[in-house]
Amino acid sequence: MKRLSFIIILLSLMGTNQLLAQNKATDKKIEKILQQLTLKEKLDMCHAQSKFSSKGIARLGIPELWMSDGPHGIRPEISWDSWEHAGWTNDSCTAFPALTCLAATFNPEMSYKYGKAIGEEARYRKKDILLGPGVNIYRTPLNGRNFEYMGEDPYLASKMVVPYIHGVQENGVAACVKHYVLNNQEHWRDHINVEISDRALYEIYLPAFKTAVQEGKVWSIMGAYNQFRGQYCCHNELLVNKILKQDWNFDGVLVTDWGATHDTKEAALNGLDIEMGTGTDGLTSSLKNAYDNYYMANPLQKMVESGEIDESVIDDKVRRVLRLMFRTNMNSSRPFGSMNSQEHFNVAREIAQEGIVLLKNKNKFFPIDPNTTKSIAIIGENATKIMSLGGGSSELKTIHEISPLEGIKKQFKNAQILHAMGYASGPSVYGRVVSSELNADSLKNEAIKVAANADMVLFIGGLNKNHHQDCEGDDRKQFALPFGQNELLSEILKVNKNTGVILISGNAVEMPWISKVDAIMQTWYLGSEAGNAIADILSGTVNPSGKLPFSFPVKLEDNAAHSYDEMSYPGDGVKQIYKEDILVGYRWHDTKKIKPLYAFGYGLSYTNFKLLNAKADKSTYHENDILSLTCEIENTGDTKGSEVIQVYSNDIEASVLRPLKELKAFQKVTLQAGETKTVHLKIPVKDLAFFDDSIMDWNLEKGQFKLLIGNSSQNITKSITITVE
Ligand code: BGC
């Protein structure tokens, strides 16, 4: 045994040494290239030359750098100089489920598969940087872009982001984790100045980025549009120079969000490496070759030439860009990638299946027997709406997207499937609402008629990717379901009580009808295999195991950010203050005793589980210990299923306010009917610390802590008290 560990250590040391030698060799090459570049050439590498690329150095054979949105698939090609689609015919991709769905799997293995598959597609499409994933924290259900992020908990987002990055980067494609940081709403995102305590910044909003850098070893980060303490995030001294580059040792490239640079000197000195998206589409006041006018182009050249900025500042940026290139498009052992393979569609389907969350299931409404001969009325626009379109920069042109209606028809061959749209939202157009021209009354009346004559109703509604829904550029206007869905649903319930609701959204919604429907399923935007995955769950072919990555409040005011005045959300147009501080999501609901409609971490299964014999390895720990927890989990039902064991901590003797619960570990376990497994969970004791702004560091206070074990933030079945000495 000892010999084996010795060999493992030796091998890993050899690996580390090899890596160090490789890095040294790359650094040498970088220095050699740097010596040959003119100032103009260096600056060319620090700003865009088209909507999604920056210049190479043709005379030296240094390639251009090509980027693509993410994070759910490889975006169709965009024109050189405008936001128009380029009109290529070979740029259809696999649409993977939205990141909310990935987070809902609570399964890092899914994250790796996602990253690997999307990375292969990025590589095949000759992209060097994939603009994603996003890890902004879910602060308000109105944020139009929550669907692109990984929920409200910093630990969950941290655990899920790392394997995604590894999967992508194994392909020689850089992931670009965005939007650093505090871009937690779309409304006024291009200028709003966020004020927040250091504690909330470090405990809630930074951890997923920090883990992406330190464990994920991500090669690029995208700065956010908004300001933080009066300075734009892309050239924010504290966020970029101090935290990202100095404290976290980030050796990659900081890319702006598109058009998020505002000042040449600040950008140069405060750590921005590549400027993208400054007005270049002829729609702004830009000149023809507006790229020369970028903050980091001619204006920066002048400052260097006049001696106002030292050329070494530019050299640091170019070194970073070249380092990224040696990892991506100048890496000769880069794999070739692949596109639209059956394997990729399988990955999309598997993640979709694992992320769907069963919220309510009275009288075993679901699953529905796949051999049923009953009539099923499928009502709702989302039964047929293509969701890979719209949403802003995450829009996709997918080779296929199976709608829920198609998926259900395929798997319920003997049933009589009836369908009515019920309501219509209009097309998805970026930046504005275009209403449907269909007659709302006729749609509603037809749906009620169809519902009345069916044995059961599946209402497939929710939000969509239109402006003011789940879409970039602005926020939702209301917490309630849009397009008259609540009224429609209440009419349907009058004629058919045998109704289940399937919500397709990236956000929580108000559910005034909750007690009147038998079943509710939260299915997110699921990509190419959406309908297949939904039907897999409906038919019971797959047992649901998704858990909510954010809390569903009963009403909007129950959400922390909305419990305060408008300075908290959305701000006064100039600034906003995160008044709830560290009490985001379930931290707020728990601590303030405001019961959510559905809690963080919650999700039902078609089987039942029992948690047994949970214990910690010791009762007293020291700061550098790794706490080891074991418990048994038994599948007490008659169907195979998966459960997520969640461990939250509670600091009993804290000198500062601490949330009642903070997620510290989780694990998804799959069990056959009747099977029992032992689960091992590890928590570094250091993770029990809080960020103490009086010392600007993490502080682990001695004393007693509770470890709360359960299967949602509200369903704790075992509490273990430990002492930290
Ligand atoms: C979005 C980014 C995106 C970029 C390029 C911006 O508007 O905020 O997430 O990557 O556009 O499309």
Side-chain angles (χ1 to χ4, degrees):
M1 193 60 196
K2 261 193 189 154
R3 202 180 144 80
L4 186 66
S5 4
F6 175 71
I7 293 172
I8 292 173
I9 293 171
L10 199 69
L11 284 175
S12 86
L13 277 178
M14 277 164 64
T16 318
N17 283 341
Q18 211 176 1
L19 201 70
L20 284 175
Q22 247 172 31
N23 288 347
K24 252 195 183 160
T26 308
D27 286 349
K28 248 190 181 164
K29 286 186 206 161
I30 291 174
E31 292 311 312
K32 223 168 154 189
I33 295 172
L34 206 54
Q35 281 164 19
Q36 301 175 63
L37 300 181
T38 64
L39 175 61
K40 168 88 172 71
E41 285 171 333
K42 289 179 191 171
L43 290 171
D44 279 347
M45 296 175 77
C46 298
H47 64 83
Q49 63 159 358
S50 76
K51 271 280 170 233
F52 281 92
S53 70
S54 57
K55 262 206 176 99
I57 311 298
R59 71 179 179 89
L60 297 177
I62 295 171
E64 298 169 339
L65 202 57
W66 279 88
M67 314 179 185
S68 170
D69 281 303
H72 305 144
I74 312 306
R75 193 177 184 181
E77 296 299 326
I78 301 293
S79 295
W80 189 268
D81 245 353
S82 83
W83 285 110
E84 296 298 311
H85 288 146
W88 292 21
T89 53
N90 62 348
D91 55 352
S92 300
C93 68
T94 307
F96 296 93
L99 293 193
T100 36
C101 174
L102 178 63
T105 67
F106 272 66
N107 187 351
E109 199 190 313
M110 289 300 127
S111 230
Y112 174 72
K113 286 190 181 184
Y114 195 128
K116 179 172 179 290
I118 197 173
E120 284 168 356
E121 301 225 341
R123 174 67 188 104
Y124 191 81
R125 283 267 302 278
K126 302 187 173 63
K127 305 302 177 192
D128 308 313
I129 302 183
L130 176 74
L131 304 171
V135 288
N136 293 96
I137 290 292
Y138 189 110
R139 177 176 182 252
T140 153
L142 298 191
N143 178 11
R145 253 184 130 172
N146 281 332
F147 71 100
E148 283 189 66
Y149 305 140
M150 301 203 198
E152 71 186 21
D153 183 74
Y155 180 80
L156 175 65
S158 300
K159 284 288 152 201
M160 297 303 282
V161 74
V162 170
Y164 184 116
I165 296 167
H166 290 165
V168 170
Q169 294 191 166
E170 274 169 21
N171 289 286
V173 173
C176 185
V177 174
K178 62 194 191 181
H179 308 88
Y180 183 67
V181 62
L182 303 169
N183 183 179
N184 303 105
Q185 67 190 46
E186 287 298 284
H187 196 61
W188 294 327
R189 68 170 174 171
D190 58 341
H191 64 274
I192 195 82
N193 178 26
V194 179
E195 295 289 344
I196 181 180
S197 73
D198 285 313
R199 183 166 175 209
L201 180 69
Y202 279 87
E203 275 188 30
I204 307 292
Y205 297 98
L206 289 181
F209 289 97
K210 183 179 179 188
T211 319
V213 170
Q214 298 194 327
E215 281 179 39
K217 305 269 180 243
V218 73
W219 296 336
S220 63
I221 297 266
M222 183 188 290
Y225 278 122
N226 47 284
Q227 302 182 60
F228 163 66
R229 295 187 186 156
Q231 202 169 41
Y232 279 99
C233 288
C234 289
H235 32 85
N236 188 292
E237 163 72 15
L238 176 64
L239 292 177
V240 184
N241 276 350
K242 165 89 173 66
I243 297 177
L244 180 66
K245 292 190 169 174
Q246 187 188 314
D247 296 351
W248 298 348
N249 263 322
F250 174 62
D251 71 354
V253 169
L254 182 78
V255 184
T256 56
D257 201 338
W258 268 229
T261 318
H262 296 268
D263 184 276
T264 296
K265 198 166 178 180
E266 254 182 36
L269 296 179
N270 291 351
L272 178 62
D273 300 310
I274 300 185
E275 176 189 4
M276 297 297 296
T278 305
T280 49
D281 51 12
L283 299 171
T284 67
S285 57
S286 309
L287 301 176
K288 191 142 187 277
N289 188 5
Y291 304 103
D292 287 344
N293 294 332
Y294 269 40
Y295 293 94
M296 300 247 285
N298 290 354
L300 184 50
Q301 186 167 346
K302 277 196 197 122
M303 282 190 184
V304 176
E305 282 165 354
S306 72
E308 201 177 340
I309 286 174
D310 201 90
E311 193 163 338
S312 63
V313 171
I314 316 301
D315 289 348
D316 176 64
K317 301 180 195 307
V318 177
R319 275 192 196 100
R320 288 169 180 274
V321 176
L322 285 169
R323 191 177 300 126
L324 182 138
M325 287 183 162
F326 276 111
R327 289 165 165 168
T328 59
N329 59 9
M330 299 210 298
N331 169 2
S332 53
S333 49
R334 198 185 192 197
F336 297 108
S338 57
M339 197 77 203
N340 295 320
S341 62
Q342 189 54 47
E343 192 191 334
H344 290 182
F345 290 113
N346 292 348
V347 167
R349 186 165 176 168
E350 194 184 355
I351 295 167
Q353 291 166 341
E354 274 214 24
I356 290 174
V357 185
L358 181 62
L359 296 176
K360 178 172 181 180
N361 202 20
K362 199 171 143 197
N363 303 329
K364 297 200 171 154
F365 184 91
F366 294 129
I368 304 165
D369 177 5
N371 298 315
T372 186
T373 52
K374 287 183 178 161
S375 56
I376 308 176
I378 310 284
I379 311 281
E381 190 187 36
N382 284 356
T384 51
K385 196 165 172 76
I386 296 301
M387 294 296 189
S388 46
L389 298 174
S393 58
S394 62
E395 60 159 9
L396 296 172
K397 178 161 113 190
T398 176
I399 209 150
H400 71 243
E401 180 178 324
I402 310 286
S403 72
L405 181 63
E406 275 177 87
I408 292 169
K409 277 187 174 165
K410 269 204 278 178
Q411 290 196 36
F412 292 86
K413 289 221 161 64
N414 301 327
Q416 194 197 345
I417 305 290
L418 312 165
H419 170 238
M421 209 167 150
Y423 67 89
S425 63
S428 166
V429 181
Y430 188 70
R432 66 197 164 95
V433 174
V434 177
S435 302
S436 166
E437 286 174 4
L438 298 175
N439 183 298
D441 282 341
S442 318
L443 291 175
K444 187 166 148 188
N445 293 338
E446 188 206 348
I448 295 167
K449 223 190 267 166
V450 171
N453 293 322
D455 293 321
M456 73 186 322
V457 177
L458 294 181
F459 182 84
I460 308 189
L463 306 176
N464 61 30
K465 300 289 200 61
N466 291 8
H467 189 54
H468 287 314
Q469 303 295 319
D470 283 326
C471 184
E472 184 183 338
D474 214 333
D475 288 343
R476 293 166 65 197
K477 291 247 187 231
Q478 56 182 40
F479 187 44
L481 283 176
F483 320 121
Q485 291 177 77
N486 283 346
E487 299 76 38
L488 173 62
L489 200 45
S490 69
E491 293 297 320
I492 288 172
L493 286 164
K494 280 183 202 156
V495 297
N496 196 330
K497 295 209 174 340
N498 197 19
T499 295
V501 173
I502 295 166
L503 286 173
I504 297 180
S505 75
N507 258 316
V509 298
E510 198 174 47
M511 302 185 200
W513 30 260
I514 190 167
S515 60
K516 299 201 187 94
V517 301
D518 284 344
I520 307 170
M521 203 177 265
Q522 174 64 36
T523 73
W524 323 112
Y525 302 110
L526 297 179
S528 288
E529 294 291 319
N532 286 337
I534 289 173
D536 290 336
I537 300 284
L538 289 182
S539 63
T541 313
V542 174
N543 194 348
S545 64
K547 302 282 175 179
L548 290 180
F550 49 83
S551 317
F552 277 51
V554 176
K555 49 188 194 305
L556 192 58
E557 306 78 68
D558 289 354
N559 164 280
H562 294 273
S563 300
Y564 297 92
D565 57 15
E566 64 163 31
M567 282 313 290
S568 168
Y569 177 90
D572 63 2
V574 177
K575 135 176 151 175
Q576 72 176 143
I577 306 166
Y578 284 17
K579 296 191 176 179
E580 73 284 7
D581 202 52
I582 54 161
L583 297 182
V584 175
Y586 67 90
R587 287 166 165 77
W588 172 264
H589 285 282
D590 281 350
T591 311
K592 298 285 176 184
K593 306 212 172 1
I594 300 170
K595 207 170 176 308
L597 193 61
Y598 290 113
F600 173 85
Y602 169 83
L604 299 172
S605 164
Y606 295 149
T607 185
N608 292 305
F609 300 97
K610 208 165 163 188
L611 193 86
L612 304 154
N613 298 329
K615 46 181 182 281
D617 59 338
K618 296 194 284 185
S619 55
T620 304
Y621 295 88
H622 296 100
E623 189 171 357
N624 292 322
D625 290 347
I626 307 277
L627 191 156
S628 202
L629 264 181
T630 50
C631 65
E632 281 167 22
I633 170 97
E634 183 186 350
N635 180 349
T636 56
D638 51 13
T639 325
K640 176 185 168 193
S642 302
E643 179 61 302
V644 179
I645 316 289
Q646 303 163 39
V647 185
Y648 298 84
S649 70
N650 170 238
D651 188 348
I652 304 176
E653 300 173 30
S655 66
V656 293
L657 170 81
R658 295 206 66 174
L660 224 58
K661 291 187 207 98
E662 295 172 52
L663 184 67
K664 296 297 170 195
F666 62 85
Q667 195 171 315
K668 193 166 204 172
V669 197
T670 302
L671 299 159
Q672 299 298 331
E675 194 185 4
T676 302
K677 275 188 185 165
T678 305
V679 180
H680 301 270
L681 295 139
K682 294 211 178 303
I683 303 173
V685 172
K686 274 202 172 101
D687 285 5
L688 302 176
F690 67 94
F691 190 83
D692 185 343
D693 30 26
S694 71
I695 52 168
M696 282 305 281
D697 205 351
W698 294 89
N699 186 353
L700 178 67
E701 284 184 338
K702 298 194 167 131
Q704 289 195 317
F705 288 80
K706 266 194 251 169
L707 299 172
L708 306 164
I709 310 163
N711 67 352
S712 96
S713 60
Q714 291 270 306
N715 188 31
I716 301 299
T717 41
K718 175 83 186 170
S719 163
I720 300 174
T721 302
I722 58 146
T723 305
V724 174
E725 270 184 11

